[in-house]
């Protein structure tokens, strides 16, 4: 009886830890320099891979922040998630190379997240418009440089352990 009680307490503790972590929000931020040491941006999409995203328990957000040569109306990034274009962002600052980030947030539905995560990875691409330049990284006058940041945030589903099955396997409860 003592051995079964100790096993039961251990299983319950492990289950509690896994249930608590399984219902946590999924929040991941990925930051990249679209110049990547180059003197010019080539309109090659930057890929942001969000790995092992859990099943969603509700709607979420995708937040895009950019800093650099995005002052003019033609200077922006194109945002695509798993082949779906969400829109563009940038070109709304009166000055290039500000240290402040320009940020926008896209609401995303639980259904979209479920579809996007079907293969175990959510891929977001940001493509710079063809007139975005890297001069913000090349000058001492612009200490902040160019940066693109993508944040995915949503509530994860509770994938708790099937406790009744564990109890039966361990010989507790009804057989």
């Amino acid at each position: 009886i003592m051995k079964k009680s100790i096993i039961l307490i251990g299983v319950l503790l492990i289950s509690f830890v896994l249930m608590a972590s399984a219902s946590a929000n999924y929040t991941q931020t990925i930051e990249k320099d679209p110049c990547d040491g180059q003197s010019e941006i080539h309109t090659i999409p930057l890929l942001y891979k969000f790995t092992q995203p859990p099943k969603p328990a509700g709607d979420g957000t995708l937040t895009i922040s950019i800093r650099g040569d995005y002052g003019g109306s033609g200077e922006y990034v194109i945002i695509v998630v798993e082949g779906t274009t969400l829109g563009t962002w940038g070109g709304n600052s009166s000055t290039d190379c500000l240290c402040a980030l320009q940020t926008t947030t896209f609401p995303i539905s639980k259904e979209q997240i479920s579809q996007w995560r079907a293969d175990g990875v959510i891929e977001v691409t940001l493509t710079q418009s063809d007139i975005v330049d890297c001069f913000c990284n090349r000058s001492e006058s612009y200490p902040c440089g160019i940066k693109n940041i993508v944040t995915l945030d949503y509530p994860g589903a509770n994938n708790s352990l099937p406790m009744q099955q564990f109890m039966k396997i361990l010989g507790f409860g009804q057989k």
Side-chain angles (χ1 to χ4, degrees):
I1 295 254
M2 183 66 141
K3 185 176 180 180
K4 283 188 175 185
S5 296
I6 292 171
I7 291 172
L8 176 61
I9 291 170
V11 168
L12 291 174
L13 286 173
I14 290 170
S15 175
F16 176 75
V17 169
L18 291 175
M19 285 188 330
S21 65
S23 62
N25 278 354
Y26 178 83
T27 300
Q28 186 176 358
T29 299
I30 303 172
E31 182 177 314
K32 293 189 177 189
D33 174 354
C35 295
D36 196 28
Q38 304 297 314
S39 60
E40 293 183 26
I41 291 179
H42 305 285
T43 55
I44 299 169
L46 287 176
L47 180 60
Y48 299 77
K49 286 188 174 190
F50 295 91
T51 57
Q52 300 178 344
K55 182 178 175 183
D59 297 342
T61 58
L62 183 71
T63 302
I64 308 298
S65 298
I66 58 177
R67 179 177 71 208
D69 182 30
Y70 300 106
S73 62
E75 299 172 326
Y76 54 84
V77 293
I78 303 165
I79 301 120
V80 177
V81 182
E82 294 285 333
T84 301
T85 301
L86 295 186
T88 62
W89 180 241
N92 59 359
S93 172
S94 60
T95 307
D96 286 327
C97 304
L98 295 175
C99 284
L101 291 166
Q102 296 181 51
T103 300
T104 191
T105 300
F106 295 90
I108 50 178
S109 70
K110 177 181 176 182
E111 291 76 24
Q112 285 175 305
I113 299 165
S114 292
Q115 180 182 6
W116 294 340
R117 68 171 286 282
D119 65 353
V121 176
I122 297 177
E123 294 184 351
V124 177
T125 56
L126 298 185
T127 303
Q128 314 299 312
S129 65
D130 58 1
I131 61 172
V132 173
D133 191 4
C134 293
F135 74 90
C136 297
N137 281 1
R138 294 190 309 260
S139 172
E140 291 179 18
S141 302
Y142 307 109
C144 299
I146 187 168
K147 183 183 293 189
N148 292 173
I149 303 169
V150 179
T151 301
L152 178 61
D153 183 32
Y154 65 91
N158 187 344
N159 298 321
S160 64
L161 297 173
M163 285 310 297
Q164 290 179 341
Q165 188 65 26
F166 276 135
M167 300 292 258
K168 287 180 184 178
I169 291 170
L170 294 173
F172 297 102
Q174 297 177 348
K175 296 189 180 207

